[in-house]
Amino acid sequence: SSQQLAGLGDVYAERFRKQKALRDGFLRKALQQLQRLPSGQLEDRFAELAALGVLDDDSEPSSSRKEKPLAQLPLRQRQQLLYSQFIASAISALPFIFENEPLLLIFECNHHISLHA
């Protein structure tokens, strides 16, 4: 997974690390993808996969759904979870050097959870 996101880490290190305001703005925008994504946008983003039948609700037999907890969720919630997992993986794969980078992420996540949980 970290190899697949290496390009993002290179761009982050080269473009955003030199200026704190840009770096913090980038991290905040990435977190906003997790925190404020309307579910309607997920349908647009996953439209190609849905057209291929990859995300069909009936793609798994009901017996195998009992073994997989995610399979019990509605399609839209599974899409949101998978997208959130991807964004979280991308953010966690960034090559943090400064102490404030992960602390900013922790602060922003804590703030969001405190207000919306």
Side-chain angles (χ1 to χ4, degrees):
S1 168
S2 61
Q3 291 176 349
Q4 295 171 340
L5 299 172
L8 178 63
D10 293 343
V11 169
Y12 175 80
E14 185 66 29
R15 299 290 177 212
F16 297 112
R17 180 154 302 133
K18 296 175 184 173
Q19 296 180 359
K20 184 180 185 313
L22 288 176
R23 181 178 64 243
D24 290 355
F26 173 77
L27 293 174
R28 283 190 172 106
K29 289 290 184 185
L31 284 174
Q32 285 176 1
Q33 288 294 308
L34 290 172
Q35 298 167 351
R36 298 186 184 125
L37 184 68
S39 57
Q41 285 184 3
L42 285 171
E43 292 172 359
D44 296 339
R45 291 178 189 226
F46 291 111
E48 290 180 16
L49 292 176
L52 294 171
V54 174
L55 298 175
D56 287 342
D57 267 330
D58 298 327
S59 62
E60 298 179 35
S62 59
S63 61
S64 69
R65 285 184 177 208
K66 293 177 184 175
E67 298 169 7
K68 298 179 182 178
L70 289 182
Q72 297 175 359
L73 295 173
L75 177 61
R76 183 172 290 177
Q77 286 180 344
R78 277 189 282 160
Q79 290 173 341
Q80 288 175 319
L81 223 88
L82 291 171
Y83 185 70
S84 297
Q85 180 184 12
F86 169 74
I87 296 294
S89 295
I91 292 171
S92 66
L94 294 175
F96 298 131
I97 290 181
F98 299 109
E99 182 179 277
N100 72 320
E101 294 167 306
L103 291 177
L104 174 67
L105 295 174
I106 292 166
F107 170 79
E108 291 292 335
C109 289
N110 187 35
H111 179 74
H112 179 76
I113 290 169
S114 296
L115 293 176
H116 301 286

